Amino acid sequence: MYDVIVVGGGAAGMMASVTAAGAGLHVLLLEKNSRCGRKLGITGKGRCNVTNHCTPKEVIDSVPTGGKFLFSALEGFSPQDTIAFFEGLGVPLKTERGNRVFPQSDRAADIVNALWSRMHSLGVTVRQADVTRITTDEGVVSGVVTETGRAYEGKNIILATGGLSYPATGSTGDGYHMAAALGHTIVPPSGSLVPLTSEDACCARMQGLSLKNVRLTVSDGGKKPVFEDFGEMLFTHFGVSGPLVLSASAHMRQFERKTYTLSIDLKPALDEKKLDERILRDFEKYANRDFANSLSDLLPRKMIPVMVQRSGIFPETKTNAVTRQQRRHLVELIKDFRITVSGKRPVEEAIVTTGGVELKQINPKTMESKLVSGLFFAGEILNADAYTGGFNLQIAWSTAYAAATHLQNQNT
């Protein structure tokens, strides 16, 4: 009989195990993969954006779904607590642009190894097993059953199985089915921080083109932009991707009711006057060239045919024959290159899942189910997700700590 069985060996599961075992509880962690932390090991392009160096309120402001629910958990284990925790495990951290926190080594493996070593030193029992069912006795959890039919008995269960993103790492929605079987409502999961699709043919024409140092603004037809930031993006055969697009996608949640338009400023460092002066210099340099052959200093090669078509200027027009009005239109296109987005790519391609166990059925202070005594939830299985910047991992750390700390209090 274990004091607690943690189902899922990702970020939330490992943190829950360490916290519970650190309180002297007998902990069993069951993970379907041969090793824990597979998804954690690839986060942040393998660097692991551990948290965001900000206040709990700033985390909540970056959580479009479930922010208020997370208040107690974030107060109980804040970003500062996360930083102190990992540095206490011997992993020096650093803060980068946007208050993003990474290991100084830029190795996500250091975070995974630190958690694994701590679990080992605290005596957490780890078994490779695919849990399929949670057993109960008169509304109280009693244990779990695995795919092979083996049963483990436990006084408490922490379900930390993740969402549906990156299924190759083990996030295949198992926890949703187990929670639903016990009466919990599951908000249909979909992708957040995910590539976007577009029916605009220009995307496929520019497939593989990566834009750097551009400004992306997203509009839904309202007075204020839905999203605006500076960075990198990528054109694909289906639409657009890259860091800027993934960040923007978390702000685009109403495709059934709204039409979203991307506006790309290809030269954000230049205002329209300076850009026009720059184009004039290029036109003087290539005065006798065709217009289609005069933009190589200004735009990426793959974008030139698209820009020429959108400009309405005949490709064979000599550069010295381009009118001031035509040049003005070209400036506007470069400062406001628009793409209409039709939707998001499948949840399997997302970094994070939005949707999951209905938060109204969970105690926000303890992460315990209101329907089944002794059943707790932590991490991405919850219907709570955030923007990029380390906020989603902070949700995992805080909710796991909240659940495990309640077990500590419950068993002392």
Side-chain angles (χ1 to χ4, degrees):
M1 171 68 75
Y2 291 92
D3 292 321
V4 55
I5 299 175
V6 179
V7 183
M14 296 176 83
M15 175 61 83
S17 299
V18 165
T19 305
L25 301 181
H26 191 203
V27 180
L28 169 66
L29 187 151
L30 298 175
E31 164 58 41
K32 68 163 67 173
N33 291 312
S34 58
R35 56 190 173 88
C36 294
R38 283 188 63 184
K39 183 176 177 181
L40 184 59
I42 62 173
T43 59
K45 295 182 178 179
R47 296 176 63 218
C48 191
N49 187 179
V50 181
T51 185
N52 192 282
H53 202 302
C54 65
T55 65
K57 183 183 183 303
E58 287 173 310
V59 176
I60 290 171
D61 290 342
S62 298
V63 180
T65 303
K68 291 182 179 179
F69 171 85
L70 295 168
F71 178 82
S72 292
L74 288 165
E75 285 291 326
F77 197 80
S78 68
Q80 285 68 36
D81 293 323
T82 298
I83 293 168
F85 173 80
F86 283 106
E87 291 194 327
L89 294 183
V91 184
L93 303 176
K94 60 181 177 179
T95 302
E96 298 186 356
R97 185 178 68 87
N99 291 325
R100 290 167 163 84
V101 178
F102 294 89
Q104 286 187 11
S105 64
D106 286 329
R107 296 180 67 250
D110 289 353
I111 297 296
V112 177
N113 292 338
L115 286 167
W116 176 257
S117 296
R118 185 61 175 158
M119 285 165 52
H120 179 74
S121 67
L122 290 171
V124 174
T125 302
V126 181
R127 296 281 183 269
Q128 183 178 3
D130 190 353
V131 177
T132 57
R133 183 164 58 92
I134 296 170
T135 57
T136 61
D137 184 8
E138 296 183 355
V140 180
V141 297
S142 57
V144 299
V145 178
T146 68
E147 190 177 40
T148 62
R150 180 169 182 178
Y152 294 91
E153 294 183 352
K155 299 175 185 176
N156 301 280
I157 309 294
I158 298 179
L159 207 49
T161 50
L164 286 174
S165 57
Y166 290 120
T169 65
S171 297
T172 52
D174 303 345
Y176 299 146
H177 302 302
M178 287 184 268
L182 295 175
H184 296 87
T185 301
I186 306 300
V187 178
S190 62
S192 182
L193 308 182
V194 65
L196 300 171
T197 59
S198 174
E199 295 178 5
D200 193 323
C202 78
C203 294
R205 288 180 68 186
M206 295 187 289
Q207 177 181 350
L209 172 61
S210 177
L211 298 178
K212 296 183 179 181
N213 303 320
V214 298
R215 178 167 293 280
L216 177 65
T217 304
V218 181
S219 172
D220 63 359
K223 293 182 179 179
K224 293 183 178 181
V226 173
F227 171 86
E228 188 174 8
D229 204 359
F230 176 88
E232 301 179 20
M233 61 177 292
L234 172 72
F235 289 101
T236 70
H237 67 284
F238 57 75
V240 286
S241 187
L244 265 182
V245 171
L246 297 181
S247 295
S249 69
H251 299 252
M252 303 162 69
R253 295 169 178 261
Q254 299 178 3
F255 279 97
E256 68 283 355
R257 295 195 297 110
K258 296 183 177 181
T259 299
Y260 293 97
T261 302
L262 309 184
S263 170
I264 307 167
D265 183 347
L266 297 163
K267 300 292 180 182
L270 302 177
D271 59 25
E272 291 191 0
K273 182 182 177 182
K274 289 183 178 179
L275 177 58
D276 188 41
E277 292 171 352
R278 161 69 192 278
I279 293 173
L280 267 175
R281 289 197 298 271
D282 285 356
F283 280 8
E284 290 171 0
K285 180 180 178 181
Y286 301 120
N288 296 316
R289 284 191 182 184
D290 292 346
F291 170 64
N293 297 324
S294 68
L295 301 174
S296 57
D297 292 351
L298 188 67
L299 298 170
R301 180 180 56 81
K302 279 193 174 183
M303 179 171 266
I304 291 174
V306 174
M307 192 65 76
V308 169
Q309 182 180 27
R310 287 197 177 190
S311 74
I313 302 172
F314 192 62
E316 283 77 29
T317 301
K318 294 302 178 184
T319 305
N320 56 15
V322 174
T323 68
R324 181 177 181 180
Q325 184 176 357
Q326 289 175 322
R327 198 178 71 241
R328 172 68 184 173
H329 182 46
L330 178 61
V331 168
E332 291 173 351
L333 283 173
I334 293 172
K335 295 293 288 182
D336 184 15
F337 187 88
R338 297 195 175 195
I339 298 169
T340 299
V341 177
S342 55
K344 296 181 179 182
R345 290 291 286 176
V347 63
E348 291 81 7
E349 296 181 28
I351 294 176
V352 173
T353 304
T354 183
V357 179
E358 172 58 62
L359 300 181
K360 292 178 181 178
Q361 298 173 343
I362 301 170
N363 184 325
K365 293 183 178 180
T366 65
M367 296 299 134
E368 185 174 15
S369 167
K370 295 179 180 179
L371 308 182
V372 181
S373 180
L375 177 61
F376 299 79
F377 298 94
E380 199 177 345
I381 190 173
L382 298 163
N383 182 28
D385 65 281
Y387 304 139
T388 57
F391 302 112
N392 286 291
L393 269 181
Q394 184 59 50
I395 292 174
W397 310 134
S398 295
T399 54
Y401 184 85
T405 301
H406 178 70
L407 294 175
Q408 172 188 340
N409 295 337
Q410 192 179 66
N411 287 273
T412 53

